[in-house]
Amino acid sequence: MLMEAQEDDYVSHPLIKENLVLRRTYQEKIFINCLKHNCLVVIPTGLGKTIIALMLAVHKLTEYPNSRIIFLAPTKPLVEQHYRSFVDLTKIPIEFLQPITGTISPDKRKEIWSEVKVAFMTPQVLQNDIISQLYPINDVSLIIFDECHRAVGDYAYGFIAQKYIESVKNAQILGLTASPGSTEGKINEIKNNLYIDHLEIRTDQDKDVKPYIHRVDNEWIKIKLPKEFIEINTVLMEKLRSIYKWLKEIDLLGTSDVNKVTRKDLLSLNRKINSKISSTREENEKFQYFKAKKLVSNAIRLSHMGELIETQGINALYDYIQKNQEKIKKNTANKSLKELFSDRDFKRLIELTETIKEKGIIHPKIEKLKSILNTQINENSESRILVFCHFRDSVKNIVKHLKKDELIKVHRFVGQQSKSADKGLTQKEQIQLLQDFKDGVYNTLIGTSVAEEGLDIAECDLVVFYDVVPSAIRSIQRRGRTGRKKEGKVYILMAEGTRDEGYYWAEKRKETKMRESLKSMKSQEGSQKKGQANIFDFIKEKEKNNSKPSEVPQTVSDIEERGVEESETFSIICDHRETASAVVRNLSLLGVQLKLEQLELGDYIISNRVGIERKSAQDFNDSIKDGRLFKELFELKNNFERPILILEGDPFLNSSFNENALYGALTSIILNLGIIIYKTQDPDESAKFIYNLAKKEHTFSQGEPKLRFDKKPIETSHLLEYIVAGIPGINSLRAKNLLKELKTLQEIFNSDIGDLIKIDGIGKKIAQEIYKLSRYNYKDNS
């Protein structure tokens, strides 16, 4: 129940409907303090942060009638939710309110932009439109970043904020979140990336918000593992212990205690080993470190399997083993995986897993979950329940089990990505599913992290953590799905004596740290705060000081017209899939005009004579394995006079190939294909190289580069040369000599030794090697 002494009031404004209630105890104060600042608002879930955003948007449109507002949210369902809020609560004509997502074509987005006043968008779409300069953003008076705790690392929020600040002199930014991060360092990173100069922080203990907080009961339930699961876990822990012992002996780990070495430690160790491999010149040391790399990779796998059996159950572990066995069968597995699965003790673990699965022994969490759901629905038939699970495979298994119960109307809620037989949900399907959930078509959703952020489902009165995540942000987001409009409950299922417990206490420590950080930062802000007492005082002050008409925010182009020299610009054609990398964002920030296209070949086209293929170290290895690399490079070579391969990162560090194989691939690219390889450390360096290369090239080359390419007949001849040059002892010259004389691969491989040694450059030893290989029966040793 809300306290009677509330100071709520209906808002009177020509652009706001009469049904919008402003909570004057805190929403009004936050709104006033955000008017003159780039503001980060940290407020508990369910306390109407969208209302604050809406009020600020309406104010900006009133102040600058010719401007636009952008409201960003990470997912399409959240974009749709904010759009519906503006439709329901404002009098802005609906044709001026538009959700703009990636399902809309660029031409249509450009058309919508020309008419829209408030655009609701995902950051990826806005980022791509800014990069391709689809429309200008210099008349945008406000950008709202919802769930702005994402504004860290390479996420699109930081890029968008920087381009916006560069484009508009009087730009204004509003960031919204319930969980900004555990430390002041993380919160300051968000502030820096979004150009925030003011914090508005409220916690559930603050006097002005406390009356609006609905009670949420939290209860954690311990679950005992069956002895069969413990037996599997014992095998896994023994394998881990033996690996940790060896790593400790060579001074890579400080302990062999499986309870003290974390996944984070193993990932950090991987980087340490990579550094040692790069620096050492001793072959024995290198061999030892490569062995350590394989063991660390398997330790990460074993640790993951331990987590699956402890927190998810036998089906999740079985599915994981099956996926990896499939990789081995298809020969896409690396050496470390093959070695693990050929280990005698590990084979025993696989047999144990298969036996327990056949017996139908499931994780006791599932039965407990079923009991909780039945009790809840029997007590309240209108109940809506969200169950969160970290692993998508487990979501599938839980739904399969619960569908047998007629009382539980269950559906899965997962992301868009499809994984083999597990088809993802499109964002349109997600939106419809949420509506069905609200309408009672389903009373239970089993969701992954995609269901955690921001979704306002007033009817949800129970949240269940099927597993525990060691993240304060994610835990707060999960809990925030209930208790929004009425009291709610949260149950946390915890496998006793497992990492579930460890994660629970780790999350609690982080949450405590977050509260302390927010309290400290709030105290610092409080000592600097200068704001109006209420909205009416602000309006009076505004009217008194309003001696000249409001203008649309000044833009960079306005400043340039006053004499600031415009920098030299040129264009690069870029494959639209490259927008997932930081290279494209960095090129845009360097001032390059980028044209996003679906390229048939290459990643960047600089001119008609210069084409670039960019490969990260991992993609370079993967493309050798799946056969893409040389096919792509052949086409690049055949269509550009100056083909270039940018190799980003070190392909030797995390490779399943031996050194000689990688050197063989690199030398073939240079010698056989004549392609230049340029090595960079990271996306930033790649962008700088592309920028300077394009700048130089555009001083010589004029005209629009072509986007359609005719595949030249010579491509097949290059491919034949490459195949023959793969035979031990055959270089590119000998390959050409063989093909000139014998014409086809069939003739080469059908030739006798006597015929082969007649070819220039082919001696008896090489001829015997060709003869032997062409008649060798393949054996699958995996």
Side-chain angles (χ1 to χ4, degrees), residues 167-181:
S167 302
V168 181
K169 185 183 178 184
N170 295 325
Q172 186 161 9
I173 285 170
L174 175 65
L176 304 170
T177 183
S179 48

Side-chain angles (χ1 to χ4, degrees), residues 57 327 335 379 435 478 481 483 589 640 645 663 752:
K327 284 182 186 176
K335 283 184 180 179
E379 287 177 359
Q435 190 59 50
R478 283 183 173 190
R481 296 318 102 215
L589 292 171
F640 292 99
L645 170 66
Y663 277 124
D752 291 326

Side-chain angles (χ1 to χ4, degrees), residues 166-400:
E166 289 174 357
S167 302
V168 181
K169 185 183 178 184
N170 295 325
Q172 186 161 9
I173 285 170
L174 175 65
L176 304 170
T177 183
S179 48
S182 300
T183 65
E184 287 192 39
K186 283 285 184 187
I187 299 167
N188 282 324
E189 185 182 356
I190 296 166
K191 284 179 65 180
N192 293 336
N193 289 345
L194 295 184
Y195 299 86
I196 298 297
D197 57 30
H198 179 74
L199 284 174
E200 280 293 325
I201 299 169
R202 298 293 187 278
T203 70
D204 54 9
Q205 297 304 309
D206 287 322
K207 289 179 182 178
D208 54 355
V209 302
K210 207 168 185 179
Y212 301 93
I213 299 290
H214 295 282
R215 179 178 168 180
V216 175
D217 292 325
N218 290 270
E219 182 182 343
W220 47 283
I221 301 168
K222 286 194 174 185
I223 311 279
K224 284 186 179 292
L225 288 182
K227 65 179 189 305
E228 291 86 355
F229 287 17
I230 293 170
E231 186 180 359
I232 286 178
N233 208 34
T234 301
V235 176
L236 287 167
M237 292 306 106
E238 282 302 317
K239 288 299 300 175
L240 269 178
R241 195 171 287 109
S242 65
I243 291 173
Y244 293 167
K245 186 178 178 183
W246 188 85
L247 292 170
K248 184 174 182 288
E249 285 171 1
I250 62 167
D251 295 325
L252 286 174
L253 273 182
T255 178
S256 59
D257 188 339
V258 293
N259 295 314
K260 290 182 179 178
V261 180
T262 65
R263 190 90 48 90
K264 190 176 178 181
D265 293 332
L266 293 173
L267 293 171
S268 174
L269 185 56
N270 226 349
R271 292 189 288 272
K272 182 179 176 182
I273 294 169
N274 287 341
S275 175
K276 287 185 176 291
I277 289 171
S278 298
S279 60
T280 187
R281 292 289 173 265
E282 290 287 330
E283 283 303 314
N284 287 340
E285 276 190 29
K286 265 196 176 178
F287 175 79
Q288 188 178 56
Y289 289 135
F290 274 115
K291 179 183 175 181
K293 265 185 73 64
K294 287 193 290 186
L295 288 175
V296 169
S297 295
N298 283 336
I300 292 169
R301 292 186 182 108
L302 291 165
S303 176
H304 177 65
M305 285 186 264
E307 181 172 3
L308 290 178
I309 193 63
E310 286 180 355
T311 68
Q312 308 299 313
I314 201 69
N315 287 324
L317 177 60
Y318 177 81
D319 289 344
Y320 179 77
I321 290 171
Q322 287 291 105
K323 285 176 187 174
N324 282 293
Q325 285 179 326
E326 195 63 28
K327 284 182 186 176
I328 293 168
K329 284 177 187 175
K330 290 180 178 177
N331 204 29
T332 57
N334 57 29
K335 283 184 180 179
S336 60
L337 184 64
K338 288 177 180 177
E339 287 180 12
L340 178 64
F341 274 66
S342 62
D343 178 83
R344 185 180 61 187
D345 293 332
F346 194 79
K347 284 181 176 178
R348 182 166 70 88
L349 181 139
I350 294 173
E351 289 171 6
L352 269 173
T353 302
E354 290 171 348
T355 302
I356 293 169
K357 188 177 185 303
E358 284 170 11
K359 288 180 180 177
I361 300 170
I362 59 173
H363 202 294
K365 279 185 182 181
I366 292 183
E367 288 301 332
K368 185 62 183 176
L369 174 63
K370 187 177 176 182
S371 171
I372 289 170
L373 300 185
N374 271 286
T375 301
Q376 179 72 13
I377 296 166
N378 278 320
E379 287 177 359
N380 178 11
S381 60
E382 298 300 312
S383 189
R384 300 289 185 276
I385 305 159
L386 272 172
V387 180
F388 288 105
C389 186
H390 184 58
F391 297 103
R392 190 153 144 179
D393 285 344
S394 293
V395 169
K396 181 177 67 178
N397 289 325
I398 294 166
V399 169
K400 185 179 176 182

Side-chain angles (χ1 to χ4, degrees), residues 467-692:
D467 46 28
V468 186
V469 286
S471 161
I473 290 175
R474 289 186 61 192
S475 289
I476 289 168
Q477 292 289 343
R478 283 183 173 190
R479 292 199 307 269
R481 296 318 102 215
T482 190
R484 299 177 76 87
K485 301 290 190 296
K486 57 183 178 181
E487 292 183 355
K489 285 186 285 189
V490 174
Y491 288 120
I492 301 162
L493 303 184
M494 192 185 304
E496 192 173 357
T498 70
R499 65 199 74 199
D500 262 351
E501 284 197 42
Y503 286 167
Y504 177 80
W505 295 114
E507 186 278 321
K508 283 296 170 197
R509 284 192 297 272
K510 288 177 183 177
E511 209 170 317
T512 300
K513 181 68 176 172
M514 181 188 293
R515 282 196 295 269
E516 290 171 354
S517 298
L518 290 173
K519 186 177 179 181
S520 169
M521 296 181 85
K522 185 178 179 181
S523 173
Q524 293 167 31
E525 283 284 329
S527 63
Q528 302 166 8
K529 193 175 289 184
K530 293 178 183 178
Q532 290 78 19
N534 59 59
I535 194 166
F536 304 108
D537 290 344
F538 174 79
I539 291 167
K540 286 174 186 174
E541 183 183 319
K542 186 80 178 171
E543 288 171 350
K544 188 171 75 174
N545 297 329
N546 195 15
S547 57
K548 62 177 182 178
S550 298
E551 301 173 354
V552 177
Q554 283 186 304
T555 65
V556 170
S557 57
D558 293 333
I559 299 165
E560 285 170 354
E561 286 173 8
R562 295 176 187 172
V564 178
E565 188 179 342
E566 189 175 347
S567 62
E568 182 185 357
T569 60
F570 47 84
S571 64
I572 295 172
I573 297 170
C574 163
D575 186 77
H576 70 95
R577 287 160 291 197
E578 277 288 294
T579 56
S581 81
V583 176
V584 175
R585 294 193 289 272
N586 288 337
L587 283 170
S588 179
L589 292 171
L590 286 167
V592 177
Q593 293 178 358
L594 290 160
K595 298 180 180 178
L596 301 182
E597 301 282 352
Q598 185 166 346
L599 296 180
E600 293 178 7
L601 57 95
D603 294 316
Y604 299 89
I605 297 176
I606 307 301
S607 66
N608 278 326
R609 71 173 190 152
V610 181
I612 296 173
E613 180 74 27
R614 184 187 72 89
K615 296 283 184 195
S616 66
Q618 183 62 52
D619 189 31
F620 182 78
N621 277 273
D622 291 343
S623 61
I624 293 174
K625 195 179 292 182
D626 62 26
R628 281 182 292 119
L629 179 66
F630 284 94
K631 182 177 183 298
E632 290 169 353
L633 294 180
F634 278 135
E635 292 177 358
L636 195 71
K637 165 72 176 174
N638 289 338
N639 286 282
F640 292 99
E641 186 184 337
R642 296 282 188 272
I644 299 169
L645 170 66
I646 292 178
L647 185 51
E648 197 175 280
D650 191 338
F652 292 90
L653 289 184
N654 289 302
S655 178
S656 57
F657 297 107
N658 64 43
E659 241 181 23
N660 291 335
L662 284 175
Y663 277 124
L666 291 167
T667 53
S668 289
I669 292 165
I670 296 167
L671 298 175
N672 295 352
L673 296 179
I675 290 177
I676 297 166
I677 300 176
Y678 188 83
K679 173 82 168 54
T680 65
Q681 289 185 339
D682 52 37
D684 184 48
E685 192 179 337
S686 297
K688 286 175 183 172
F689 171 71
I690 294 169
Y691 171 81
N692 283 286

